[in-house]
Amino acid sequence: MTGVVAVLITTFLASAVEAIEMVTIVIGVGATRGWRSTLIGAASGFGVLAVVVVVLGAALSQVPIGPLRLIVGALLLTFGLQWFRKGIMRVAARGLAGIGGQDPHEVAEWTGPGMDWTAWFLAFKGVVLEGLEVAFIVVTFGAGSNQLGTAVVSGIGAIVIVGAVGFSLHQTVRRIPRSLLQLIVGVLLSTFGSFWAIEGLGIEWPGGDAAIPGLLILYAATAATYITLERNRALGLRPAA
């Protein structure tokens, strides 16, 4: 019984870390680009993930995750830096207009008919990569302790619980002005993109996943600095000598 509980708790906690990253990306993209395409992308990612897990089973632990991290990280970083730059410029121009309600000057990024493939792609990638990470955790802990069923239940439970908590907050996220939200999502995507791309190159981050908050702080501080400089420039102010 002790072994079962240990596998259950360990797998849940490790999977929850990956699930938080997954849900953060999906909610950020959905709130910024629109929910329909984002949720379809996430569902597609789960579908592909299910097929991969069923086909490979326990052999999944032998699949090299490094190249996938590098590709997904580079793509997330590309999109993230674009939103990061736009968010800085918009927040610098408008400040925090719209806090507590929708800024009437802000419009959604996607207004065309059909699928928003950018939202679909970002959600799909986030779900597939983080889902594979959860699958690796489940297989590693479950097969190693001969408790694969327990590990599967724990991993799925982590995704469901974290997802439910995340989506319960999406109405609050929607109240954030789009310019500020775009900056926040840009910071998040740039952070995860940097983290995964470097890991994909085979370079270990100091502290592992604990480096993610440090990257968040670095990007946030960079954004705050550029916003201040841009607002001062617009107001004709010069930095103190």
Side-chain angles (χ1 to χ4, degrees), residues 43 57 71 76 85-86 89-90 98 104 112 122 149 154 211-212 221 232 239-240:
I71 294 171
L76 283 183
R85 180 185 63 82
K86 290 180 181 178
M89 299 304 294
R90 291 180 179 180
L122 289 172
S154 185
I212 293 177
N232 287 343

Side-chain angles (χ1 to χ4, degrees), residues 22 44-54 127-128 130-132 135 159:
M22 177 197 301
S44 301
F46 278 118
V48 170
L49 187 63
V51 172
V52 171
V53 170
V54 169
V127 167
V128 169
E130 290 305 324
L132 282 175
I159 294 176

Side-chain angles (χ1 to χ4, degrees), residues 1-11 136-152 154:
M1 180 63 69
T2 302
V4 173
V5 173
V7 171
L8 190 69
I9 295 175
T10 304
T11 305
F136 291 153
I137 291 170
V138 167
V139 170
T140 300
F141 290 155
S145 60
N146 199 28
Q147 297 286 348
L148 187 58
T150 301
V152 169
S154 185

Side-chain angles (χ1 to χ4, degrees), residues 48-218:
V48 170
L49 187 63
V51 172
V52 171
V53 170
V54 169
V55 171
L56 296 181
L60 189 64
S61 60
Q62 304 302 317
V63 176
I65 191 66
L68 182 60
R69 282 178 179 153
L70 176 59
I71 294 171
V72 172
L75 290 172
L76 283 183
L77 188 58
T78 299
F79 284 107
L81 289 177
Q82 291 176 2
W83 290 6
F84 184 72
R85 180 185 63 82
K86 290 180 181 178
I88 287 175
M89 299 304 294
R90 291 180 179 180
V91 172
R94 297 175 184 166
L96 300 181
I99 285 289
Q102 184 64 38
D103 182 355
H105 296 96
E106 295 285 1
V107 295
E109 287 287 342
W110 179 255
T111 57
M115 185 74 70
D116 177 359
W117 290 107
T118 297
W120 183 94
F121 193 50
L122 289 172
F124 176 83
K125 288 186 303 181
V127 167
V128 169
L129 180 59
E130 290 305 324
L132 282 175
E133 296 273 13
V134 172
F136 291 153
I137 291 170
V138 167
V139 170
T140 300
F141 290 155
S145 60
N146 199 28
Q147 297 286 348
L148 187 58
T150 301
V152 169
V153 171
S154 185
I156 293 175
I159 294 176
V160 171
I161 292 174
V162 172
V165 172
F167 280 100
S168 70
L169 300 175
H170 84 278
Q171 290 294 342
T172 301
V173 174
R174 291 182 63 181
R175 299 183 63 186
I176 301 175
R178 189 165 297 276
S179 56
L180 178 58
L181 183 60
Q182 188 172 47
L183 176 58
I184 293 172
V185 175
V187 168
L188 291 172
L189 293 183
S190 299
T191 295
F192 290 128
S194 300
F195 183 81
W196 291 339
I198 295 298
E199 276 201 334
L201 292 172
I203 301 173
E204 294 291 333
W205 286 94
D209 286 350
I212 293 177
L215 284 171
L216 278 171
I217 293 172
L218 176 62

